[in-house]
Amino acid sequence: MPETLIAAPSTAAPGLALLYDGGCPLCLREVRFLGARDQRLHAASPRLTFVDIDAPDYDPGAHAGISYREAMGRIHAITAEGQVLCDVAVFREAYRLVGLGWLYAPTAWPLLGPLVEQAYAFWAGWRLRLTGRPSLDQLCQQRCRLPE
């Protein structure tokens, strides 16, 4: 079973709850990097929390109603104010919160932004296949299968 990485609770609300696929090796690598950096910079009050959407107890109702299918199809995050971010905006905000916002800042530029969004959409569409996972439809069927 993949390790679930969740920031320690703090008295302050985190800046971003990032929904990630705990069965995806590339997603896990990104989450571990962001989590370690956040812990190093903000140990007393982490800015990020991580929610494994592939965990059996993932509850869309507790995460802005984002279904398993939606979350597996493209990355989502929820700000402390309850705003839902998708796609490259998630990375832009997560990296900003851990002091590396300059890396993703160009993705908001008028000419570059749309190209980066298209590249991400292409990646999101192929992510499961490229990481050796079943298709989104197969994963959803497995997840929705009721015990007999």
Side-chain angles (χ1 to χ4, degrees):
M1 179 177 205
E3 172 187 336
T4 301
L5 178 64
I6 299 178
S10 70
T11 55
L16 195 68
L18 196 148
L19 281 56
Y20 75 99
D21 176 5
C24 170
L26 297 174
C27 303
L28 283 173
R29 178 194 270 179
E30 188 81 7
V31 164
R32 287 183 180 128
F33 168 75
L34 289 168
R37 180 151 176 102
D38 190 29
Q39 185 65 33
R40 202 167 41 253
L41 295 175
H42 312 112
S45 182
R47 305 300 194 266
L48 304 174
T49 59
F50 302 94
V51 178
D52 182 357
I53 59 167
D54 198 43
D57 62 347
Y58 173 70
D59 177 15
H63 301 97
I66 301 166
S67 71
Y68 174 78
R69 178 179 284 279
E70 290 172 309
M72 287 295 284
R74 57 196 272 213
I75 194 164
H76 291 74
I78 306 161
T79 68
E81 297 78 27
Q83 178 187 9
V84 175
L85 303 177
C86 300
D87 305 333
V88 178
V90 172
F91 297 105
R92 200 167 31 247
E93 181 63 6
Y95 274 70
R96 184 187 71 76
L97 289 169
V98 298
L100 295 172
W102 58 272
L103 286 170
Y104 275 88
T107 67
W109 296 351
L111 296 176
L112 187 57
L115 295 173
V116 174
E117 288 291 344
Q118 286 179 335
Y120 175 79
F122 179 79
W123 159 252
W126 285 89
R127 175 183 69 85
L128 293 170
R129 182 176 291 169
L130 292 172
T131 58
R133 308 274 307 283
S135 72
L136 182 55
D137 286 338
Q138 290 171 316
L139 287 171
C140 289
Q141 285 175 349
Q142 291 170 3
R143 181 146 188 117
C144 295
R145 201 173 286 146
L146 297 174
E148 298 178 355

